[in-house]
Amino acid sequence: MMALARLLAGVAALSMAFVAPAPAAARVPGFVAISRADPSILSDIRYASRHNFIGRPIDGYREPLCILTTEAATALSVAQRAAVRRGYSLKVYDCYRPQRAVDDFVAWAEDLGDTAMKAEFYPDLDKSVLFEQGYIAAKSGHSRGSTLDLTLVKLPPRAQPAYRPGKPLVSCKAPVSERFPDNTIDMGTGYDCFDTLANTLDPRVTGRPLDNRLLLKRIMTDAGFTNYDLEWWHYTLAGEPYPDTYFDFPVALRSI
């Protein structure tokens, strides 16, 4: 009996050694990280950090990555080459955005008491009107994978100081010398500025900031992107591959 018991125990141990591992989460085909597709493109993924209009990392941003559909990534690389020829680099702030992040935005917008970042990102707006005026919505083109937010940086890029939570906030509408010291060229407002001054062709924006916005628009349009005219930083690939699909996989290399 003891010999039989030892034999059965050995068989059990052997079978345990060959148990197949649990399958990994399915990867989503057709997407690529820009850091791999074109490492020359700079990034400052704000929603993976505390420097955004909520003031904390957003749900679904597990890594500070720009993920795009392969078609959008290819077109963005074309835009980057055009920018470099002019002495600039593109810098992305946000790319693919999972639906869970959009839901996080909505939940935050419904909490009217949380205005921690108001002084920088929506200095002249009451938070209660962010839905009504279209700054927050239940769906975002970013979740389709071919929309991104970006700007231009003069080459060679200057060092950008780290964002320090708790430091006094400065309005996104303030002069560029007073705003957060982003290393980008002056676009007339900071990124994610909830104000009509961020409209691409707002008539109050003139001189160099307007020239800079038009330069970015020309570079991106020539590469096949279309600007959302209410936000100078927002572009979508024309003919995007998933025009009706809103994805929800997390922003992480293991997703793609």
Side-chain angles (χ1 to χ4, degrees):
M1 290 293 292
M2 290 184 63
L4 178 60
R6 284 197 297 270
L7 176 62
L8 292 175
V11 170
L14 185 62
S15 65
M16 286 295 291
F18 287 92
V19 170
R27 292 176 178 261
V28 181
F31 286 81
V32 64
I34 284 298
S35 58
R36 292 182 171 178
D38 190 336
S40 72
I41 296 174
L42 304 176
S43 67
D44 181 4
I45 307 301
R46 294 288 183 86
Y47 299 148
S49 76
R50 296 178 66 180
H51 190 199
N52 56 59
F53 62 86
I54 293 183
R56 58 166 171 76
I58 307 304
D59 190 17
Y61 285 80
R62 297 182 184 173
E63 298 176 46
L65 292 173
C66 170
I67 292 175
L68 289 171
T69 61
T70 53
E71 293 86 347
T74 298
L76 191 65
S77 190
V78 171
Q80 172 71 345
R81 290 196 294 272
V84 169
R85 287 195 298 270
R86 292 171 168 84
Y88 299 92
S89 174
L90 301 176
K91 182 168 92 166
V92 292
Y93 291 119
D94 190 38
C95 299
Y96 160 73
R97 181 185 306 165
Q99 181 61 44
R100 70 192 72 182
V102 178
D103 297 341
D104 198 3
F105 289 172
V106 170
W108 168 83
E110 291 173 343
D111 179 4
L112 298 183
D114 183 354
T115 57
M117 303 299 284
K118 175 179 171 61
E120 179 173 352
F121 293 96
Y122 50 108
D124 298 329
L125 283 181
D126 188 278
K127 189 177 179 181
S128 64
V129 305
L130 295 183
F131 275 116
E132 174 188 328
Q133 297 195 14
Y135 292 107
I136 302 291
K139 292 287 186 183
S140 169
H142 284 269
S143 300
R144 302 194 299 261
S146 295
T147 291
L148 69 160
D149 299 337
L150 79 171
T151 188
L152 290 168
V153 174
K154 184 70 176 175
L155 293 175
R158 294 177 288 111
Q160 176 176 304
Y163 173 71
R164 298 204 308 274
K167 185 177 179 179
L169 300 174
V170 177
S171 169
C172 57
K173 299 168 56 179
V176 65
S177 60
E178 300 174 18
R179 297 195 302 262
F180 173 76
D182 199 335
N183 64 351
T184 67
I185 61 177
D186 184 12
M187 294 291 188
T189 74
Y191 168 59
D192 255 0
C193 191
F194 294 176
D195 193 276
T196 55
L197 196 66
N199 295 359
T200 306
L201 297 179
D202 186 281
R204 293 169 293 174
V205 178
T206 59
R208 183 58 60 86
L210 176 59
D211 291 343
N212 291 340
R213 292 183 183 192
L214 294 178
L215 174 60
L216 176 62
K217 186 175 182 181
R218 183 160 57 251
I219 289 170
M220 294 298 289
T221 300
D222 288 349
F225 291 89
T226 300
N227 176 237
Y228 175 50
D229 61 1
L230 300 185
E231 298 174 346
W232 59 257
W233 55 80
H234 182 117
Y235 286 84
T236 298
L237 180 68
E240 59 183 305
Y242 303 112
D244 303 309
T245 304
Y246 294 82
F247 295 91
D248 192 38
F249 59 87
V251 177
L253 281 177
R254 66 183 299 176
S255 298
I256 55 175

Short mmCIF file of all heavy atoms in Angstrom, two decimals, residues 175-198:
data_model
loop_
_atom_site.label_atom_id
_atom_site.label_comp_id
_atom_site.label_asym_id
_atom_site.label_seq_id
_atom_site.Cartn_x
_atom_site.Cartn_y
_atom_site.Cartn_z
N PRO A 175 0.35 84.48 -19.73
CA PRO A 175 1.46 84.55 -20.69
C PRO A 175 2.37 83.34 -20.54
O PRO A 175 2.53 82.79 -19.45
CB PRO A 175 2.17 85.85 -20.30
CG PRO A 175 1.10 86.68 -19.66
CD PRO A 175 0.21 85.71 -18.93
N VAL A 176 2.99 82.94 -21.63
CA VAL A 176 3.79 81.72 -21.64
C VAL A 176 4.90 81.76 -20.59
O VAL A 176 5.27 80.72 -20.03
CB VAL A 176 4.36 81.47 -23.05
CG1 VAL A 176 5.35 82.56 -23.45
CG2 VAL A 176 4.99 80.09 -23.15
N SER A 177 5.41 82.94 -20.29
CA SER A 177 6.50 83.06 -19.31
C SER A 177 6.02 82.78 -17.89
O SER A 177 6.84 82.55 -16.99
CB SER A 177 7.11 84.46 -19.37
OG SER A 177 6.13 85.44 -19.09
N GLU A 178 4.70 82.79 -17.67
CA GLU A 178 4.15 82.58 -16.34
C GLU A 178 3.54 81.19 -16.16
O GLU A 178 3.41 80.70 -15.03
CB GLU A 178 3.09 83.64 -16.04
CG GLU A 178 3.61 85.06 -16.07
CD GLU A 178 2.50 86.09 -15.93
OE1 GLU A 178 1.39 85.70 -15.47
OE2 GLU A 178 2.72 87.26 -16.27
N ARG A 179 3.15 80.54 -17.27
CA ARG A 179 2.51 79.24 -17.20
C ARG A 179 3.50 78.16 -16.77
O ARG A 179 4.72 78.40 -16.71
CB ARG A 179 1.90 78.86 -18.55
CG ARG A 179 0.81 79.78 -19.02
CD ARG A 179 0.00 79.17 -20.16
NE ARG A 179 0.75 78.78 -21.34
CZ ARG A 179 0.86 79.51 -22.44
NH1 ARG A 179 0.29 80.70 -22.51
NH2 ARG A 179 1.54 79.05 -23.47
N PHE A 180 2.99 76.94 -16.54
CA PHE A 180 3.87 75.81 -16.26
C PHE A 180 4.95 75.76 -17.34
O PHE A 180 4.66 75.85 -18.53
CB PHE A 180 3.07 74.50 -16.27
CG PHE A 180 3.93 73.28 -16.17
CD1 PHE A 180 4.48 72.91 -14.95
CD2 PHE A 180 4.22 72.51 -17.28
CE1 PHE A 180 5.30 71.79 -14.84
CE2 PHE A 180 5.04 71.39 -17.19
CZ PHE A 180 5.57 71.03 -15.97
N PRO A 181 6.23 75.61 -16.95
CA PRO A 181 7.33 75.71 -17.92
C PRO A 181 7.48 74.48 -18.81
O PRO A 181 8.49 73.78 -18.78
CB PRO A 181 8.55 75.93 -17.03
CG PRO A 181 8.19 75.27 -15.74
CD PRO A 181 6.71 75.50 -15.57
N ASP A 182 6.46 74.22 -19.60
CA ASP A 182 6.51 73.19 -20.62
C ASP A 182 7.61 73.59 -21.62
O ASP A 182 7.81 74.78 -21.86
CB ASP A 182 5.15 73.14 -21.32
CG ASP A 182 4.89 71.87 -22.08
OD1 ASP A 182 5.86 71.22 -22.47
OD2 ASP A 182 3.71 71.53 -22.28
N ASN A 183 8.28 72.63 -22.22
CA ASN A 183 9.37 72.99 -23.14
C ASN A 183 8.91 73.17 -24.58
O ASN A 183 9.71 73.13 -25.51
CB ASN A 183 10.49 71.95 -23.08
CG ASN A 183 10.04 70.57 -23.55
OD1 ASN A 183 8.86 70.33 -23.79
ND2 ASN A 183 10.99 69.65 -23.67
N THR A 184 7.61 73.39 -24.77
CA THR A 184 7.05 73.53 -26.11
C THR A 184 7.09 74.98 -26.57
O THR A 184 7.36 75.90 -25.78
CB THR A 184 5.60 73.04 -26.14
OG1 THR A 184 4.79 73.93 -25.33
CG2 THR A 184 5.48 71.65 -25.57
N ILE A 185 6.78 75.18 -27.85
CA ILE A 185 6.65 76.55 -28.34
C ILE A 185 5.30 77.11 -27.90
O ILE A 185 4.39 76.36 -27.54
CB ILE A 185 6.82 76.61 -29.88
CG1 ILE A 185 5.75 75.77 -30.60
CG2 ILE A 185 8.21 76.12 -30.27
CD1 ILE A 185 5.83 75.87 -32.12
N ASP A 186 5.17 78.42 -27.92
CA ASP A 186 3.97 79.09 -27.38
C ASP A 186 2.79 78.92 -28.32
O ASP A 186 2.81 79.38 -29.47
CB ASP A 186 4.27 80.57 -27.16
CG ASP A 186 3.10 81.31 -26.51
OD1 ASP A 186 2.15 80.65 -26.04
OD2 ASP A 186 3.15 82.56 -26.49
N MET A 187 1.74 78.27 -27.84
CA MET A 187 0.51 78.09 -28.60
C MET A 187 -0.62 78.99 -28.10
O MET A 187 -1.76 78.84 -28.51
CB MET A 187 0.06 76.63 -28.54
CG MET A 187 1.01 75.67 -29.22
SD MET A 187 1.00 75.89 -31.03
CE MET A 187 1.99 74.48 -31.56
N GLY A 188 -0.30 79.91 -27.22
CA GLY A 188 -1.31 80.85 -26.76
C GLY A 188 -2.05 80.42 -25.50
O GLY A 188 -2.57 81.26 -24.77
N THR A 189 -2.13 79.13 -25.25
CA THR A 189 -2.64 78.58 -23.98
C THR A 189 -1.85 77.32 -23.67
O THR A 189 -1.16 76.77 -24.53
CB THR A 189 -4.13 78.17 -24.06
OG1 THR A 189 -4.26 76.95 -24.80
CG2 THR A 189 -5.01 79.25 -24.66
N GLY A 190 -1.99 76.86 -22.45
CA GLY A 190 -1.45 75.55 -22.10
C GLY A 190 -2.34 74.45 -22.66
O GLY A 190 -3.43 74.70 -23.18
N TYR A 191 -1.88 73.23 -22.53
CA TYR A 191 -2.65 72.06 -22.97
C TYR A 191 -3.85 71.84 -22.05
O TYR A 191 -3.79 72.08 -20.86
CB TYR A 191 -1.75 70.83 -22.95
CG TYR A 191 -2.47 69.52 -23.11
CD1 TYR A 191 -3.25 69.26 -24.24
CD2 TYR A 191 -2.40 68.54 -22.13
CE1 TYR A 191 -3.93 68.06 -24.39
CE2 TYR A 191 -3.06 67.32 -22.27
CZ TYR A 191 -3.83 67.09 -23.40
OH TYR A 191 -4.51 65.90 -23.54
N ASP A 192 -4.94 71.37 -22.63
CA ASP A 192 -6.18 71.07 -21.90
C ASP A 192 -6.74 72.30 -21.21
O ASP A 192 -7.29 72.22 -20.11
CB ASP A 192 -5.97 69.95 -20.88
CG ASP A 192 -6.57 68.63 -21.35
OD1 ASP A 192 -7.14 68.58 -22.46
OD2 ASP A 192 -6.46 67.63 -20.61
N CYS A 193 -6.61 73.43 -21.85
CA CYS A 193 -7.16 74.67 -21.31
C CYS A 193 -8.65 74.73 -21.67
O CYS A 193 -9.01 74.83 -22.85
CB CYS A 193 -6.42 75.86 -21.90
SG CYS A 193 -6.78 77.43 -21.10
N PHE A 194 -9.52 74.65 -20.68
CA PHE A 194 -10.97 74.66 -20.91
C PHE A 194 -11.41 76.10 -21.07
O PHE A 194 -11.93 76.73 -20.15
CB PHE A 194 -11.71 74.00 -19.75
CG PHE A 194 -11.45 72.52 -19.59
CD1 PHE A 194 -12.00 71.82 -18.53
CD2 PHE A 194 -10.65 71.82 -20.48
CE1 PHE A 194 -11.78 70.46 -18.37
CE2 PHE A 194 -10.42 70.45 -20.33
CZ PHE A 194 -10.99 69.78 -19.27
N ASP A 195 -11.22 76.61 -22.26
CA ASP A 195 -11.54 78.01 -22.54
C ASP A 195 -11.59 78.20 -24.05
O ASP A 195 -10.87 77.52 -24.79
CB ASP A 195 -10.47 78.94 -21.94
CG ASP A 195 -10.90 80.39 -21.92
OD1 ASP A 195 -10.73 81.07 -22.95
OD2 ASP A 195 -11.42 80.84 -20.88
N THR A 196 -12.42 79.11 -24.52
CA THR A 196 -12.51 79.36 -25.96
C THR A 196 -11.20 79.90 -26.52
O THR A 196 -10.98 79.85 -27.74
CB THR A 196 -13.65 80.35 -26.27
OG1 THR A 196 -13.46 81.55 -25.51
CG2 THR A 196 -15.01 79.74 -25.92
N LEU A 197 -10.32 80.40 -25.68
CA LEU A 197 -9.02 80.86 -26.16
C LEU A 197 -8.22 79.70 -26.77
O LEU A 197 -7.32 79.92 -27.57
CB LEU A 197 -8.23 81.50 -25.03
CG LEU A 197 -7.02 82.36 -25.42
CD1 LEU A 197 -7.47 83.60 -26.19
CD2 LEU A 197 -6.22 82.76 -24.19
N ALA A 198 -8.59 78.48 -26.43
CA ALA A 198 -7.92 77.31 -26.99
C ALA A 198 -8.47 76.92 -28.35
O ALA A 198 -7.90 76.03 -29.00
CB ALA A 198 -8.04 76.13 -26.03
#
